[in-house]
Amino acid sequence: MSRVTFEQLLEAGAHFGHLRRKWNPAMAPYIFMERNDIHIIDLHKTVAKIDEAAEALKKMAQNGKTVLFVATKKQAKEAVAELAQAASMPYVVERWPGGMLTNFPTIRKAVKKMDTIDKMTSDGTFDNLSKREKLQINRQRAKLETTLGSIASMKRLPSALFVIDVMKEHIAVREANRLGIPVFGIVDTNSDPSNIDYMIPANDDSTKAIEVILGAMVEAIKEGATERKIEKQDDENNEEAAPRRERRARTGGVRRERTKKEDSDAMNARVAEKFQKASEDNEE
């Protein structure tokens, strides 16, 4: 069963593309028709692409990989931040810091700077500074939090990017392509899907459409994470049960050997008894 239905996408307005004069010819296979000079997206293909992308994200979550969500346009910021947090994944909803992927060590230094400021506040060092120094540090901390706070937990490069409006986030897409990081994206009729590994043809300006599609992706990620936890728990239980099975096997083996020996001794005793009785009868 599909994760999103045709009716849900239709109701959310995911089928509305851009004006005909703004279209990208590479999106022709995903355009159903033209109405009032606006291209209409084929939602049947959108449903199929959503399922394909969701399965890929689920497998990534099963393997413990990280997906970075990117959406700096106003219509998508709130939905992306909320749903990415629900999936325990990092996200960027403010300005994309240039070189965030290609110059990741520098970004990590900036995140560590935030941690250093927090440590100064907790250990009392911050109280010994002048009022002006405190103000400067607080401003610096607030600026870093706005830009990088949502990726503070990301210790290494993400395994994939999920982008809303691949045309607006072309810098992020270009960096991911350069590093060979798979890109998932909602692609409208004015965008080029050639650099997107898992493209979802849909209206990238509709908040409702974004929420519906992102909801399916997040649910897939949650499913993958849950299955990963269950597998880890099963592995731990198997590791605990293995020594018990070995002990039981060793104990059972000794018991069986003892039983065989006792049976053999008893049989030999009966044979000897019969032989002795037969000898006594012959003597008589």
Side-chain angles (χ1 to χ4, degrees):
M1 182 179 177
S2 298
R3 294 180 178 273
V4 175
T5 64
F6 182 96
E7 288 74 19
Q8 284 177 306
L9 292 172
L10 187 66
E11 186 178 349
H15 58 294
F16 291 115
H18 279 267
L19 292 172
R20 184 181 63 174
R21 66 176 180 271
K22 293 184 178 181
W23 82 306
N24 191 310
M27 288 297 293
Y30 306 100
I31 295 175
F32 177 67
M33 63 178 294
E34 177 192 329
R35 179 179 294 175
N36 298 329
D37 205 32
I38 294 175
H39 279 133
I40 304 300
I41 297 170
D42 187 346
L43 292 183
H44 290 292
K45 293 183 178 180
T46 303
V47 170
K49 288 293 184 179
I50 287 174
D51 291 339
E52 181 184 342
E55 286 304 311
L57 288 175
K58 181 179 177 180
K59 289 180 181 178
M60 286 187 174
Q62 280 179 316
N63 295 325
K65 294 182 178 180
T66 302
V67 180
L68 175 62
F69 289 83
V70 183
T72 59
K73 64 194 306 179
K74 185 173 69 173
Q75 301 95 312
K77 281 184 178 182
E78 188 176 343
V80 169
E82 182 180 348
L83 291 169
Q85 286 178 355
S88 301
M89 291 295 175
Y91 59 93
V92 174
V93 293
E94 299 300 329
R95 183 183 65 85
W96 174 266
M100 181 173 174
L101 300 179
T102 53
N103 197 17
F104 189 68
T106 302
I107 299 296
R108 283 302 305 165
K109 287 180 183 177
V111 173
K112 287 179 180 178
K113 199 168 190 177
M114 291 171 52
D115 297 336
T116 302
I117 295 172
D118 293 339
K119 189 176 180 181
M120 288 172 60
T121 305
S122 61
D123 63 12
T125 307
F126 194 74
D127 298 331
N128 299 327
L129 301 176
S130 65
K131 187 175 181 180
R132 183 178 179 181
E133 288 174 326
K134 287 181 181 178
L135 184 61
Q136 288 177 341
I137 291 174
N138 282 332
R139 284 176 178 172
Q140 187 180 29
R141 175 69 175 80
K143 187 176 180 180
L144 290 170
E145 177 65 33
T146 300
T147 309
L148 304 174
S150 58
I151 63 165
S153 61
M154 196 170 71
K155 306 299 182 186
R156 59 179 63 87
L157 283 171
S159 300
L161 253 65
F162 193 99
V163 179
I164 310 296
D165 193 342
V166 298
M167 195 171 180
K168 181 177 178 58
E169 314 299 344
H170 64 279
I171 298 175
V173 173
R174 193 182 307 146
E175 289 188 28
N177 291 155
R178 184 176 175 183
L179 296 174
I181 297 173
V183 179
F184 296 72
I186 298 177
V187 184
D188 212 327
T189 56
N190 66 331
S191 304
D192 181 8
S194 61
N195 295 325
I196 311 302
D197 299 278
Y198 296 89
M199 63 89 69
I200 300 172
N203 182 0
D204 59 14
D205 294 316
S206 168
T207 302
K208 288 185 178 180
I210 292 170
E211 288 176 350
V212 169
I213 295 170
L214 273 183
M217 302 300 113
V218 168
E219 284 302 316
I221 290 173
K222 287 181 178 179
E223 288 175 14
T226 302
E227 290 181 11
R228 177 177 171 80
K229 289 180 181 178
I230 293 172
E231 287 175 2
K232 287 180 71 175
Q233 188 63 44
D234 291 341
D235 291 341
E236 290 175 1
N237 293 338
N238 291 334
E239 288 176 2
E240 292 177 359
R244 297 176 188 170
R245 287 197 296 268
E246 290 177 2
R247 288 196 296 270
R248 288 175 183 171
R250 287 196 296 269
T251 306
V254 171
R255 186 176 294 116
R256 283 194 298 273
E257 289 176 3
R258 189 179 302 159
T259 303
K260 288 179 181 178
K261 186 176 180 182
E262 290 174 355
D263 291 343
S264 180
D265 292 343
M267 186 178 294
N268 291 336
R270 286 198 297 271
V271 170
E273 184 180 352
K274 288 181 179 180
F275 182 77
Q276 185 177 0
K277 187 175 180 182
S279 300
E280 291 175 356
D281 292 340
N282 291 334
E283 288 177 359
E284 292 176 357

